[in-house]
Amino acid sequence: MMANLYLMRSKSDDLNTLITKKLLANYTKHYKNVAIYCPVIYVHRIAAVQEWLEEFNIKQSSKESYGFTLRDAMNTFSHDPHYFFNKILEEYENLKAKYDFILVTSFSEFGILDGFELSVKLAKNLNTPIAAIIDQKDQNIARKIFDESLKGENYALIDANFDFNELMNLKEYEFITPNRFKFELIKKSVKNKKIVVLPESDDERILRASEILLRSNVVHLILLGNETKIKEDALKLGLDLNGIEVLDPANSPLCEEFSAMLYEARKAKGMSLEEAAKLVKDRTYFGTMLVHSKKADAMVSGASTTTAETIRPALQIIKTKEGINSVSGIFFMGLEDKVLAFADCAVNPNPTAEQLAQSAYVSALSAKAFGLEPRIAMLSYSSGDSGKGESVDLVNEALKIAKKNYPELQIDGPMQFDCAYDAKTAAKKMPNSTIAGKANVYIFPNLDAANICYKAVQRTANALAIGPILQGLKKPVNDLSRGCLVEDIVDTVILSAIQAQ
Ligand code: ACO
């Protein structure tokens, strides 16, 4: 069974070295290209790792064999834990692409912080099974911690007399941490670079996000606004936006073409050519027209406009995909080691049964596009046939429509959130359901429930909320929250680029 290994070290350097060398002796016999990776290393240990590389004839540079030195790690972790995990994940994945086997050797202490807990977190991010060097007397407590935190995944507790065959049987984990989820997204967007338009160049957060996106080279950006003003603002903020494309809706030569197109699209709704000419100078309409006319692949806006203002032009002009007449908004909720999708958190205040069924369908497509195998729960305050009421009837009706129109969906309901999420509750409340207890896509009965719930989970469980991603439109247009952070903008642009693939 092929698996990399996360060696959780003990406090004894001698014991750690003895075990590491034994492991390397074994693994280098089994695998042609072995690499060592220490996510965090004491400066004085760098030479020891170099010696191992030489002793076991491992063809890897010393610099490749570690991530952070302890001091840098502590500083980075305290300022930006996401960057800390991302850098380690990226370096590890780069090694994985080059070597057959990676021995991750990790810390037992992390300065003043608990190295044990952090090690579990790292192993879950890397999906590398843990072998922990643990004293016999501490093994029971270690087992309890691992059983709980690794949710039934395999690990080994070892000492100097470990059984190598046991380690060879360890399987890699399949956790989707928020960092891994984002890492995979970036990989997808880099594959096929798309053009994303950002209309709100007067917002500092948009400029900061643009710089990050330019640097990481994952998308091509178009900023809307006055080029001189954008340059001045970037200079003031110390940002390098060199090479970014800027279009100004106030005097763009495209306005004439866009006016004619907008007039064509909306004349049946009573729009005059004069009105169209005026509207295309509005940056949200101009951005929407760039996407509609295929000059851009996606638009991200809403840092300073309401959801309604941001998405109305898209609903009016870009319109829905064939077979869909209801746009909805999905959030990907990054919990500690899994990602769930919630919908519709953004668009339809009081959906009909038909709209709920469509929400389930397009959410399944979105989940798939972002790497999840969708298992859909239609949520309610009732599980199975336990409760009665108008809204339960609505969800039942939606389920019926979804099953009829989209027979390929893995879907069930109505069910309460605990029944959808938790296997033990599901076994009691809906024992015959193949979805209950395993759902990863949650369709809420209305906008109140969905919007309140995603924010409650985001704030109280400290979950990463990525979205909303509008689904069902012919081309991606995505809305930012007015309270968005630079990081949210970066994420939404990357998600939009993937939607456009
Ligand atoms: N799917 C597809 N098309 C739609 C949808 C939909 N869900 N809703 C409206 N449309 C279309 C209409 O068919 C119409 O098209 P037409 O002019 O070509 O006939 C056009 O959009 C305008 O429709 P109206 O009925 O006039 O709707 P309005 O523009 O007033 O509102 C909107 C639509 C903006 C989506 C509204 O439902 C809304 O404000 N929803 C709530 C948004 C919100 O505040 N969300 C919460 C915050 S988001 C967050 O917290 C992440």
Side-chain angles (χ1 to χ4, degrees):
M1 184 87 42
M2 153 66 196
N4 298 310
L5 192 80
Y6 190 102
L7 180 67
M8 201 186 276
R9 293 155 61 88
S10 72
K11 292 209 168 85
S12 156
D13 266 349
D14 288 346
L15 181 62
N16 296 335
T17 300
L18 178 86
I19 291 180
T20 309
K21 283 181 152 199
K22 261 176 132 176
L23 286 171
L24 286 172
N26 277 295
Y27 284 127
T28 47
K29 267 189 223 138
H30 274 82
Y31 297 99
K32 214 163 137 221
N33 286 313
V34 170
I36 300 173
Y37 182 60
C38 312
V40 177
I41 196 167
Y42 284 105
V43 174
H44 70 268
R45 305 268 330 149
I46 295 175
V49 174
Q50 175 66 36
E51 280 172 23
W52 295 340
L53 297 179
E54 284 162 19
E55 182 176 345
F56 294 97
N57 200 17
I58 295 173
K59 307 212 173 350
Q60 175 194 10
S61 72
S62 171
K63 186 64 209 78
E64 250 186 351
S65 68
Y66 63 89
F68 293 96
T69 57
L70 183 70
R71 203 40 39 211
D72 281 352
M74 296 288 292
N75 279 335
T76 309
F77 184 78
S78 57
H79 284 109
D80 188 351
H82 281 301
Y83 177 71
F84 174 78
F85 286 112
N86 276 345
K87 180 175 167 208
I88 292 172
L89 179 54
E90 212 175 297
E91 288 181 345
Y92 174 77
E93 287 293 325
N94 284 342
L95 287 178
K96 244 183 123 175
K98 278 167 61 180
Y99 296 88
D100 305 331
F101 184 91
I102 300 151
L103 177 67
V104 182
T105 85
S106 180
F107 38 77
S108 56
E109 294 168 302
F110 188 59
I112 53 166
L113 302 174
D114 174 14
F116 201 97
E117 196 184 318
L118 211 68
S119 254
V120 171
K121 223 170 163 176
L122 265 183
K124 283 166 103 170
N125 267 292
L126 306 182
N127 276 329
T128 308
I130 292 176
I133 308 175
I134 304 275
D135 260 10
Q136 280 293 338
K137 67 175 172 29
D138 295 327
Q139 292 209 349
N140 280 344
I141 180 104
R143 243 182 223 110
K144 216 165 163 215
I145 297 175
F146 283 133
D147 284 345
E148 182 140 320
S149 56
L150 293 174
K151 315 228 163 90
E153 292 293 351
N154 53 183
Y155 63 89
L157 304 183
I158 60 170
D159 56 24
N161 302 312
F162 64 85
D163 171 7
F164 184 65
N165 286 328
E166 184 194 357
L167 302 187
M168 285 298 278
N169 282 327
L170 292 176
K171 283 195 224 114
E172 285 184 293
Y173 306 146
E174 289 180 357
F175 294 112
I176 312 175
T177 62
N179 290 302
R180 177 160 290 280
F181 186 66
K182 280 199 191 178
F183 177 81
E184 300 292 341
L185 290 185
I186 290 171
K187 247 186 12 196
K188 277 194 188 124
S189 66
V190 172
K191 251 194 218 157
N192 184 0
K193 262 170 76 174
K194 294 289 172 186
I195 306 170
V196 182
V197 54
L198 296 168
E200 298 162 303
S201 65
D202 57 344
D203 191 304
E204 177 181 328
R205 294 165 298 174
I206 296 285
L207 296 185
R208 290 193 185 280
S210 300
E211 193 202 38
I212 295 171
L213 288 158
L214 270 184
R215 235 190 300 129
S216 51
N217 202 21
V218 286
V219 288
H220 181 85
L221 290 178
I222 302 177
L223 280 179
L224 298 189
N226 178 287
E227 192 159 2
T228 313
K229 165 97 173 49
I230 291 173
K231 277 190 179 149
E232 279 169 13
D233 289 348
L235 197 67
K236 267 189 230 149
L237 296 167
L239 301 174
D240 178 4
L241 295 181
N242 265 336
I244 203 161
E245 186 175 351
V246 176
L247 295 175
D248 190 354
N251 52 30
S252 165
L254 289 169
C255 282
E256 205 176 313
E257 176 188 339
F258 286 174
S259 309
M261 278 175 90
L262 179 59
Y263 169 66
E264 227 13 77
R266 300 297 295 170
K267 66 180 179 196
K269 294 275 169 182
M271 187 178 284
S272 66
L273 188 55
E274 291 70 38
E275 280 169 321
K278 204 170 149 209
L279 269 183
V280 296
K281 294 200 179 293
D282 171 274
R283 58 190 180 177
T284 311
Y285 272 90
F286 189 91
T288 308
M289 292 309 294
L290 277 173
V291 178
H292 183 56
S293 63
K294 302 196 174 122
K295 291 178 173 54
D297 299 302
M299 178 176 89
V300 173
S301 191
S304 52
T305 48
T306 64
T307 300
E309 286 163 341
T310 308
I311 70 175
R312 194 175 288 121
L315 296 176
Q316 291 174 338
I317 304 161
I318 293 177
K319 300 242 170 231
T320 49
K321 283 182 183 152
E322 212 176 309
I324 305 290
N325 50 39
S326 177
V327 170
S328 54
I330 194 169
F331 266 93
F332 288 98
M333 306 299 297
L335 307 184
E336 190 195 319
D337 53 24
K338 61 168 78 107
V339 172
L340 307 178
F342 288 2
D344 162 20
C345 307
V347 185
N348 305 292
N350 294 300
T352 60
E354 174 72 39
Q355 282 179 312
L356 282 177
Q358 284 200 8
S359 246
Y361 173 63
V362 288
S363 297
L365 296 182
S366 299
K368 261 205 181 125
F370 294 106
L372 304 180
E373 196 45 53
R375 296 179 298 277
I376 309 162
M378 301 297 279
L379 294 175
S380 163
Y381 60 77
S382 160
S383 294
D385 48 16
S386 68
K388 306 256 172 295
E390 228 173 87
S391 59
V392 182
D393 294 343
L394 176 79
V395 175
N396 263 319
E397 179 62 19
L399 182 70
K400 214 157 74 185
I401 299 170
K403 281 187 167 167
K404 178 167 166 273
N405 291 354
Y406 318 107
E408 70 282 12
L409 289 186
Q410 289 207 60
I411 186 167
D412 205 355
M415 63 180 95
Q416 291 157 291
F417 194 95
D418 57 350
C419 176
Y421 180 77
D422 177 53
K424 280 189 191 145
T425 314
K428 284 193 198 111
K429 294 189 172 181
M430 290 180 76
N432 299 323
S433 170
T434 54
I435 301 297
K438 300 192 198 77
N440 56 3
V441 177
Y442 295 77
I443 306 300
F444 290 79
N446 62 40
L447 184 56
D448 273 336
N451 192 276
I452 292 167
C453 191
Y454 105 74
K455 284 184 196 288
V457 173
Q458 178 189 34
R459 295 301 169 121
T460 57
N462 201 16
L464 181 78
I466 304 180
I469 300 147
L470 290 186
Q471 29 182 27
L473 282 170
K474 272 194 201 126
K475 304 270 179 63
V477 166
N478 283 311
D479 176 38
L480 296 163
S481 151
R482 275 167 291 171
C484 65
L485 306 173
V486 171
E487 196 189 340
D488 301 328
I489 302 170
V490 171
D491 288 347
T492 309
V493 168
I494 291 172
L495 289 167
S496 307
I498 295 171
Q499 270 187 304
Q501 306 265 331

